[in-house]
Amino acid sequence: MDPTIFLVMSAAKQQMDLQQVHADNMANINVVGFKASRTSTQPLYIKGDKVSEKAYAEVSSHSPSMKDGVLNYTGRSLDIALRGNSWVAVSTPNGEVGFAHSASLTRNIGGYLTTEMGYPLSNFDGEAVSIPPQNEIMLTETGEIFERDPNLGLSLYSEIPVYQLDYDKVRRGERGLITIDDAAGVVRLEASGVRIITGALEKANVNSPGVLADMMLTEQNYNANMNSFKTYKEISSLETQTLLR
Amino acid sequence: MNGALYVGKTGMDAISQQMNEIANNISNSQTTGFKASRVSFATLMTQNVRDASTVDGGTPTGLQLGTGVKVSGTQKDFSVGSPVSTERELDVMVNGDGFIPITKSNGEIFYTRSGNFTLDENGMIVTQNNFAVGSGFIVPEDATSVKIDASGDVGVLLAGENEFQNIGQIELVRFINPEGLRSMGDNMYQPTESSGDAMFGIAGEFGFGEFMQGYVEGSNVNMGEQLVQMIETQNSYEMVSKVISKTGEMMSNATQQIG
């Protein structure tokens, strides 16, 4: 059996997956703190003699790009953004802890802060960062939460822990959060090394013209595969015609 | 069917909702006490097609395909709008934190930030949609002037007298999470589980703002910001539609060449 047709179809299938990654990056361009997915393609060799050796293509998309996105100053005191390798932890309803680079926080009446998805801001062990139940709060650059009591003035209430991640071990988790399977890849930063920007949100780090270009390239490659398919069809029908004559 | 088409579609849906919100903000840029809102987006679930492998000869990076985006909610910006002087006695503005409680004729309580009040046929101080301010303040027929001071005390000057007579105090209300309030239209809000219960207080005390008579609170819509966002939204929409058209071309190419 001639494997050409399967090679071509395997490649076309990979181009389709690749196109979905591009589409997802584009669709998430307005998500706060979104990190774009990266892709790579590897050949999968099927061993044979020199002439019949084949390589199928296999697309991978796993660890997102960790570049910083542009800051958008909103002026809202509970909007936070971080820079570089520093992340805040968020606990998801299934008990996992994910990391976010920017969040629009709201006060929950339970006495903690939640992200726009409703997930509480927590530490790496999944314990929510507590906030004063009623009084006004103030966040500082180093992640301290101050309580402003109308009679007693400002007092330190709690701290938002900030973590540094080992980028070789991260992967995309639930709902756009970043997760890490190996706890050794998470280091809590000292307060002196923390910088939380308040009143700003980080835009998605999707490079939109780049994604458009990738998309067009993917389309062309796909069309080229379709042309190979057509040529193969023509050749095989010629063969049949010639042999049956 | 191709996933990229549906992913593109989720992007289009979410972006058009954002456009809707921007249009609403811009249309309300002159509405007294209006609070701008913004849409927040969230990534949809990630589909794990193939896990990363540590086996020799396996691929160290797997294949995870995202499935697009959704609107996770809208967020109201409760910052104070700029004061607009009207020099009208029944216009008040809360300069700072605090909502004014208003009561519907059936006893239901709502909370508002727009203080452009009027009198109804009984002399009661009411909002623009005839809801009583506070628990109801009756201004006597022969009153020549009404005074609302910084702490919300309402005084009336009766004809022939030269001192104001106090007829009550307008209380203010605060919520732990004002963004959790449900917007009921006409600049009225109602508490929800997420906003927490109303906490009553006196203007000027414990972090509440003070009343300013003769002013109304302008809309807090920042036009420049809205216009920039509109440009950005339009760009995103165009790019996402490009995703859909390119994927469509791929599909039709397949049908033509293989079929």
Side-chain angles (χ1 to χ4, degrees), chain B residues 35-36 76-80 99 113 178-181 189 220:
Chain B
K35 299 294 169 198
K76 281 254 174 219
D77 168 12
F78 277 103
S79 62
V80 182
F99 290 85
R113 286 283 305 181
E179 282 152 1
L181 289 172
Y189 302 95
N220 74 346

Side-chain angles (χ1 to χ4, degrees), chain A residues 62 64 92 96-99 170-180, chain B residues 43-47 64:
Chain A
H62 201 77
T92 61
E96 277 179 32
V97 173
F99 293 93
V170 297
R171 63 179 173 85
R172 186 179 292 296
E174 259 186 86
R175 298 288 160 88
L177 294 172
I178 300 296
T179 51
I180 195 158
Chain B
T43 302
L44 287 174
M45 61 163 277
T46 307
Q47 189 186 350
Q64 287 189 305

Side-chain angles (χ1 to χ4, degrees), chain B residues 4-50:
Chain B
L5 271 181
Y6 288 98
V7 174
K9 177 199 157 281
T10 64
M12 269 195 153
D13 284 351
I15 292 164
S16 42
Q17 287 200 41
Q18 186 182 28
M19 197 62 202
N20 196 357
E21 212 59 46
I22 294 172
N24 186 43
N25 286 341
I26 292 180
S27 329
N28 281 294
S29 64
Q30 300 298 326
T31 311
T32 301
F34 179 78
K35 299 294 169 198
S37 56
R38 71 176 184 206
V39 168
S40 53
F41 296 95
T43 302
L44 287 174
M45 61 163 277
T46 307
Q47 189 186 350
N48 222 345
V49 180
R50 187 182 67 239

Side-chain angles (χ1 to χ4, degrees), chain A residues 16 20 24 27-28 58-61 76 79 104 106-107 109 117 133 175 203 219 222-223 227 230 233, chain B residues 2 38 42-43 50 61-62 64 66 68 75 176-177 179 193 232 246 249-251 253 257-259:
Chain A
M16 274 300 187
Q20 185 172 348
D24 184 58
N28 281 287
E58 188 179 54
V59 167
S60 299
S61 161
R76 186 176 166 274
D79 284 349
S104 178
T106 37
R107 296 180 69 159
I109 51 166
M117 296 292 304
R175 298 288 160 88
K203 297 235 142 207
E219 191 202 1
Y222 183 84
N223 291 346
N227 281 330
K230 192 183 171 195
K233 204 169 77 176
Chain B
N2 191 348
R38 71 176 184 206
T43 302
R50 187 182 67 239
T61 54
Q64 287 189 305
Q75 218 174 26
I176 294 176
N177 175 24
E179 282 152 1
E193 257 174 45
E232 207 181 63
K246 284 288 162 204
E249 280 169 35
M250 279 163 75
M251 301 301 291
N253 199 308
Q257 305 289 19
I258 304 179

Side-chain angles (χ1 to χ4, degrees), chain A residues 138-173:
Chain A
M138 205 184 90
L139 304 185
T140 68
E141 260 197 5
T142 51
E144 289 157 323
I145 299 175
F146 280 92
E147 171 178 18
R148 193 196 297 275
D149 190 280
N151 301 316
L152 306 169
L154 282 180
S155 58
L156 181 63
Y157 192 87
S158 55
E159 267 176 73
I160 303 174
V162 176
Y163 298 95
Q164 187 169 10
L165 305 180
D166 182 348
Y167 283 175
D168 290 337
K169 293 178 176 147
V170 297
R171 63 179 173 85
R172 186 179 292 296

